[in-house]
Structures are given as structure tokens and as C-alpha cells.
Amino acid sequence: MNANSRAGMHTSNPDTQALREAIFEYTRERMSYDPAPLDAPLTLEELQKLAPNTVNEDGLGGKQALKVFAEVLAPACLSTDHPGYLSFIPTAPTEAATLFDLVVSASSIYGGSWMEGAGAVFAENEVLAWLAREAGLPETAGGVFVQGGTLGNLSALVAARHAAKAKRIAAGLALPASWKFICSVEAHSSLKAAASVMDVEIVKAEVDQDGRLTGPAVQRALDAAGDGVFAIVATAGTTNFGIVDRIREVGEVARSAGIWFHVDGAYGLAALLAPKTRALFDGTELADSFIVDPHKWLFAPFDACALIYRDPSLAKAAHTQHGEYLDTLTESGDWNPSDYAYNLTRRVRGLPLWFSLATHGVAAYREAIEENIDLAHRIAHEIRRRPQLSLVREPELSVVVFEHEGWTVDDYKRWSDHLLETGKGLVVPSSHHGKPNTRFAIVNPQTSYELLVELLDSMETI
Ligand SMILES: Cc1ncc(COP(=O)(O)O)c(C=O)c1O
């Protein structure tokens, strides 16, 4: 019997057992690298040539398919957990979290309902309750782990609009000609995407000279917006610079206007755990909803966004799907994670974080996040010291944005290509107000000061 034959593919037999061992061995090797090679993408044509016809009627057999993955496909994917991977927002899962992702994969747990996944949903909820407590939300807060911050922001805003609409209808008021939400000009692109999907308008509020959304700026935007504002969004750590809006001020404007207050903390809200930066997040307790992505700075593998509501019943009213075959779940009164976001079937993607937290404890997380922040400040100091380099802004969390005197986009690109070619790191060009720069986004405890200095040095020799 072959593992790739119809008869053997669902059973434990010598072929599938051998494949299991080969997969474990591959995983063992990938996890034993310190660090894993950075690797680099190939072109479509190169991949078509190197890995042709892998999906065919007869199958390659597991051994051959794994060989194609190990020798062609995997090396054509960047290792986002490499300590020199410093662009976008990297990822840095703990060993425990990565290992437990394997367990989740092997366990066939349906994470949409309590009936099907009670034990796993309970553990995910323990993590969500802890995050809600850290943020200062009441005991009754709750939510769900969704795929990413984009979906988390969308789901929160859909709940916000649903609540605003229900309130108007209950009060016998007319619905607005158009619904709107307010966020800063520095807010993440996922909010624009959410507005487009929801067919609502965005009212952009100006930021202060530090790039922060403030209470007065939100008040001005609100006064100018007219009817139909259903949410105000603050960003707890912008993607470009790691800047935290004046959360309390913004939240107080939202509160006094009776408007839903959402905090997008996809990247930065993790720094709430670090004693040194905790005060920046003052006012998060006013949030009606917030998100934070474990796959960014809570050391979990892709993909997970923790989405939490002050009053989960408002999210449930917006998101529960009704269908005859689902009645047994929706009428049970149980806590069904599917009810709290734009999703139904779901992986229990919060479990790797739960396992890692249960293994190491919260204190280890506080320490690791704080070390990243310290490193950002240390390397910022080094950048300030070098006459040919300058900081675009003082780092607040763990993003350091800087310029090299006289460099054009092409210079940054040449340097970036060189780093990738030599496997040292991924540091792509960026820009601010049209002026080119580059940035280190530090979320990996394996990223060292020495490596960052080496990368800075290499700017002078390229
Ligand atoms: C502030 C902020 N919000 C939302 C997102 C979107 O998150 P995701 O990429 O997980 O969809 C990001 C991603 O970088 C982000 O930095």
C-alpha cells in the first residue's frame, strides 16, 4: 500500500508512518537552526522550472513532495523569524509556541463553537481574559482570535456600526446618509480596506508634530464630520514609527460623544506588558474594542489577532451566523468564538500563545518585550552618534526609522539587496513625506545589538 494511494491516505500504515517520521525530522532540523537561513524569493519562472507539475493525477509520493518543499520551495521563502529580518513587522515565535502549532495541526479541533472545541476555546479565552485585564477592561470583556489585524479591525468596526444602527433604530431616529469612522492620517491601511468593504467613509484626523492623534484633533474631526460617525479609532503603535496616540484623550472624546472607541494595537499594544512603556497605553481601559496581534509582538506563529470587546453581546448581535444546521450551536447559549467576528469555521489559533504563556509565564513576556524596546533605544543612540546617519524620529516602542545622508531610494535598495543576497538581513527602503529612509522593526529577542551595528557598518562599505 502506498501513502499516495487512495487506500492508504487516511490510515496509519508503514508508508504514512515513515512520512510522519520524515516530517518530524524536517521540523526538528528547521527548529534546530540558530538562526535559520534567511533565504530569498525566486521568480515565478524559476519556480516553475525547479518544481514543475507537482499537482497531478498520480501524486509524487510524500517523500518526493517533501524533497521538493525542502530543496526548492522552503528556500524560496524568507525566514521571518531570522534575527536580521527587520522590515514590515517580523515575527518571532517562541519554541514552545511553534511546537504547539504542530499539536494544533495534528488535533483537528474545530474552534468555532464551545460544543466542538470546549477545552481549546476555554484556553484561548483564558488568554483573551488576561489581555483584557492587562488593558483594564471589565471581567465581562471577551472576544476571539481571528486571522490577523486586518480582519480584527474590520470585525470590530462592523460590530460598532451594527450597535450604532441598532441604537438609532431603537430611539426612532433616522439613519445617516452615510456612516463614518474617525482615525488618524497615520492609521494602518487595513482601516481603509475596512471602510471600503463596509462602504463607509473615513474621516482623517490630523496628528500633532510627534505623529500622534490627540483629543482636540479628534474633537475637531468630529465637529467637522457631521452626522453618522459610528467609531473613533486610536492606534496604539503605528506600523511606520511605533507611535502611540493619546489614547485617553481620544477615548474621552469618544465617550462623551457616545461613540464606539476602538484601539488598533495590532503591533504596539504588546508593549502594554512592559513596565517601561505601560503608561503610554493609559486610557486603553476606555476602549469598546481593541486588537493586538500575537503573530507580531507576542511571540506566536502566524496567524493570530486577539480581538476583544468590552461588551461581547454587541459583537454577537452583529456577527452570529444563523442557519438551520447551526441552530443547535446558536441556541445553546454557549460561548461560540464564531459569534464574535466575521468568521465561522476557525482554527484554534490562540492555542500556541496559550501554551507558550502557560509554559513560560507572563513575566518572561514582559521582559522580552522590554528588551526589544531597550535595544531599539540603544541602536537609536548609535545612529545619533554617526554623522552620516540621522533618526527620522526618536523611537517610542521598537521601530527605529533613520536616514543616510545623501542616499536616494536606489542607494537604500542597493544596500537592501546586498543584505538579502548575503543572508544578513531584510531591511527594505521606506519613506516619510516622500523622503527615502529605512527602518528596523525589532520584535525578535534573537536580534542583537552587534548584528544591528554590523548592518549599519555595511552602509559605508556598499
Ligand atoms: C497598526 C496595524 N494595524 C493593523 C495591521 C494589520 O494586521 P495584519 O497584517 O495581521 O492583517 C497592522 C499590520 O502591520 C498594523 O501594524
Side-chain angles (χ1 to χ4, degrees):
M1 193 161 23
N2 289 323
N4 56 323
S5 76
R6 161 73 184 86
M9 70 184 187
H10 282 86
T11 61
S12 179
N13 57 58
D15 285 328
T16 53
Q17 283 154 16
L19 185 58
R20 191 193 310 158
E21 292 313 311
I23 294 277
F24 288 162
E25 191 45 44
Y26 175 86
T27 310
R28 202 172 282 126
E29 195 179 322
R30 170 60 173 82
M31 292 190 68
S32 69
Y33 291 133
D34 194 16
L38 179 62
D39 294 324
L42 295 177
T43 64
L44 174 64
E45 293 71 26
E46 285 167 328
L47 286 168
Q48 279 169 336
K49 203 161 140 213
L50 293 167
N53 197 27
T54 52
V55 179
N56 59 44
E57 283 298 323
D58 298 325
L60 306 179
K63 208 168 140 201
Q64 178 58 19
L66 181 59
K67 190 169 148 72
V68 173
F69 179 75
E71 293 176 8
V72 179
L73 306 179
C77 300
L78 292 176
S79 298
T80 58
D81 56 351
H82 187 282
Y85 187 110
L86 297 159
S87 288
F88 316 114
I89 304 286
T91 192
T94 63
E95 297 280 303
T98 300
L99 287 167
F100 210 70
D101 211 34
L102 285 180
V103 174
V104 172
S105 290
S107 302
S108 297
I109 297 168
Y110 179 83
S113 76
W114 185 268
M115 185 183 103
E116 289 150 289
V121 172
F122 170 80
E124 285 189 309
N125 287 351
E126 290 282 289
V127 180
L128 294 170
W130 161 68
L131 287 170
R133 273 197 306 279
E134 289 286 340
L137 263 64
E139 283 290 305
T140 44
V144 57
F145 285 96
V146 294
Q147 171 264 330
T150 299
L151 193 57
N153 281 336
L154 173 67
S155 297
L157 289 168
V158 165
R161 182 180 56 182
H162 189 275
K165 192 172 168 188
K167 216 154 73 176
R168 289 220 183 188
I169 291 170
L173 297 172
L175 297 181
S178 67
W179 290 105
K180 303 159 193 172
F181 67 82
I182 295 175
C183 66
S184 104
V185 290
E186 298 278 342
H188 189 258
S189 53
S190 56
L191 292 169
K192 202 165 153 201
S196 165
V197 170
M198 294 171 72
D199 196 18
V200 301
E201 287 174 34
I202 296 191
V203 179
K204 291 266 175 84
E206 288 306 320
V207 291
D208 66 8
Q209 71 278 12
D210 297 326
R212 254 179 268 280
L213 185 60
T214 63
V218 170
Q219 188 63 59
R220 279 195 297 279
L222 187 58
D223 294 342
D227 192 26
V229 176
F230 68 90
I232 294 174
V233 183
T235 305
T238 58
T239 325
N240 279 342
F241 286 104
I243 292 165
V244 182
D245 288 342
R246 294 269 179 239
I247 298 178
R248 174 166 300 285
E249 290 180 16
V250 177
E252 280 171 356
V253 173
R255 271 278 169 97
S256 58
I259 294 171
W260 185 291
F261 178 41
H262 175 66
V263 176
D264 175 1
Y267 149 65
L269 196 58
L272 173 78
L273 299 175
K276 200 171 275 178
T277 41
R278 189 173 186 94
L280 289 172
F281 303 93
D282 172 54
T284 307
E285 71 275 14
L286 301 175
D288 292 293
S289 55
F290 73 83
I291 62 161
V292 56
D293 284 0
H295 65 213
K296 291 190 169 67
W297 204 5
L298 285 174
F299 313 126
F302 297 128
D303 47 20
C305 162
L307 162 62
I308 295 175
Y309 302 93
R310 168 180 300 278
D311 179 354
S313 73
L314 298 176
K316 189 171 179 185
H319 288 296
T320 300
Q321 295 187 25
H322 296 277
E324 286 160 353
Y325 81 106
L326 294 171
D327 283 349
T328 186
L329 300 176
T330 44
E331 289 167 7
S332 67
D334 288 336
W335 182 276
N336 296 322
S338 296
D339 292 341
Y340 301 98
Y342 184 68
N343 62 180
L344 184 61
T345 297
R346 61 178 293 278
R347 178 180 178 84
V348 280
R349 55 172 56 84
L351 276 197
L353 175 58
W354 164 78
F355 184 74
S356 184
L357 282 169
T359 300
H360 298 294
V362 171
Y365 275 65
R366 295 191 199 286
E367 217 173 283
I369 291 166
E370 196 150 287
E371 277 172 18
N372 286 152
I373 296 166
D374 287 345
L375 177 57
H377 284 90
R378 232 179 124 198
I379 201 64
H381 179 70
E382 176 60 24
I383 289 168
R384 234 181 277 116
R385 219 183 52 77
R386 297 185 177 214
Q388 68 284 13
L389 299 180
S390 55
L391 290 171
V392 177
R393 273 206 179 120
E394 286 299 317
E396 185 151 275
L397 301 178
S398 68
V399 179
V400 186
V401 186
F402 60 100
E403 293 170 351
H404 189 290
E405 199 181 51
W407 272 27
T408 63
V409 181
D410 287 343
D411 294 313
Y412 289 104
K413 176 98 180 57
R414 205 159 35 85
W415 174 61
S416 176
D417 290 348
H418 166 75
L419 295 183
L420 187 58
E421 273 157 28
T422 52
K424 287 233 178 320
L426 182 83
V427 190
V428 300
S430 185
S431 68
H432 186 57
H433 294 324
K435 201 162 172 230
N437 61 38
T438 193
R439 70 193 253 292
F440 292 156
I442 304 165
V443 299
N444 190 337
Q446 299 292 100
T447 301
S448 66
Y449 178 71
E450 291 69 27
L451 172 66
L452 297 180
V453 167
E454 193 187 333
L455 297 183
L456 294 182
D457 288 345
S458 71
M459 293 180 108
E460 306 315 317
T461 52
I462 182 78

